[in-house]
Amino acid sequence: MSSEQSAIPNVNVSLETHLILALEPLLPITDTALSTQLAQYLSGPEGIIPYNILLSVSRWSRSPAGSSALRACSLPLDPNSYLMISLLAGTTTSPDRKFGLYEPQEPEQLAAQTKRERKAITTIINGVFSVIGSGAAAWIGSERTNWRQEWRILFALFVAVVVAISETVLYIIWQSRSSSAKTTKMRRLIRAKKEDKENSDHLNTNTTNEEAHHNGLRLRVQTKSTT
């Protein structure tokens, strides 16, 4: 039971109008614990209800006692209306949480990323052709060695494997250098943004100090002229 409860997501769901209308008739017919929890959130000002309470309602409605209680109401209620897919329809998950703003990449970064992807695909295709070409060349070149077919096949496979390993190593080296260069560029960009922000704050501080100094001089001049 504990493992089942730990699998339940600890999130809230927005308490929409249709959800309130669906849950209010359950207050007098559900068990005491569930009815107390429902009343607490239905009358609360937060406008949210935990997901696990809705899950408990759904499980109760599918139990024999819950189905009988729903059908025994003065206006019979449909147990299918309390399935999770019905309860969660039209609601918002975690409306009380603040998620970070999405910051789209700059067009230059997108263009550079597309260029790197195309270059990587081209490198992989060239490597595949190199492996196939080297194997075919080894097979054709061994034709005059009077080797048996089995030895020629093994020789061609050996050459292809060696070329494939070398191409893989070269691709890994190229990929690592590309990643390190990208990381260095991002660090420089972050550092430049930080320096620009510090310079902007410094300029704003200097401007404020200059304005305060001019205002002080103006007040002194006005005071002297008044006296």
Side-chain angles (χ1 to χ4, degrees):
M1 184 67 178
S2 59
S3 60
E4 185 178 357
Q5 290 179 350
S6 61
I8 299 175
N10 186 20
V11 296
N12 295 321
V13 177
S14 62
L15 197 57
E16 305 295 338
T17 304
H18 68 276
L19 186 57
I20 296 175
L21 296 176
L23 295 176
E24 282 181 344
L26 303 182
L27 295 177
I29 61 176
T30 55
D31 56 87
T32 305
L34 185 57
S35 178
T36 303
Q37 291 177 340
L38 284 175
Q40 176 184 355
Y41 287 98
L42 290 177
S43 59
E46 295 85 2
I48 57 175
I49 186 170
Y51 176 90
N52 56 359
I53 293 181
L54 294 181
L55 186 60
S56 299
V57 170
S58 178
R59 289 174 177 173
W60 174 83
S61 66
R62 287 182 280 118
S63 65
S67 300
S68 301
L70 291 173
R71 292 190 175 94
C73 293
S74 56
L75 293 175
L77 300 174
D78 185 9
N80 292 327
S81 300
Y82 296 94
L83 298 176
M84 287 304 295
I85 190 171
S86 301
L87 294 175
L88 295 177
T91 61
T92 304
T93 304
S94 300
D96 53 331
R97 296 186 181 181
K98 303 297 181 182
F99 299 97
L101 297 176
Y102 170 70
E103 296 182 359
Q105 294 182 343
E106 298 293 335
E108 295 80 5
Q109 295 179 355
L110 292 175
Q113 183 178 357
T114 303
K115 184 178 179 180
R116 286 194 300 269
E117 291 175 354
R118 290 179 179 176
K119 193 172 183 179
I121 294 173
T122 303
T123 303
I124 293 173
I125 293 175
N126 290 336
V128 172
F129 280 122
S130 297
V131 172
I132 296 174
S134 60
W139 167 262
I140 296 173
S142 62
E143 185 177 2
R144 299 181 180 181
T145 58
N146 295 324
W147 290 350
R148 292 187 299 177
Q149 296 290 338
E150 295 83 358
W151 290 108
R152 291 178 61 193
I153 293 173
L154 289 175
F155 177 69
L157 289 176
F158 174 76
V159 173
V161 168
V162 171
V163 174
I165 293 174
S166 62
E167 290 288 344
T168 303
V169 172
L170 291 175
Y171 179 78
I172 292 174
I173 294 174
W174 173 78
Q175 190 72 17
S176 62
R177 290 182 178 178
S178 177
S179 300
S180 60
K182 181 181 177 181
T183 304
T184 304
K185 187 176 180 180
M186 288 298 296
R187 289 178 179 175
R188 290 178 180 175
L189 182 62
I190 294 173
R191 189 182 304 168
K193 288 183 178 180
K194 185 177 180 181
E195 290 177 355
D196 291 341
K197 184 178 180 181
E198 291 177 353
N199 293 333
S200 177
D201 294 340
H202 183 67
L203 289 175
N204 291 334
T205 303
N206 292 337
T207 303
T208 304
N209 293 334
E210 290 178 359
E211 290 179 354
H213 180 68
H214 289 308
N215 291 333
L217 291 177
R218 191 177 302 166
L219 289 174
R220 291 179 184 176
V221 171
Q222 290 178 356
T223 303
K224 290 181 179 180
S225 61
T226 303
T227 55

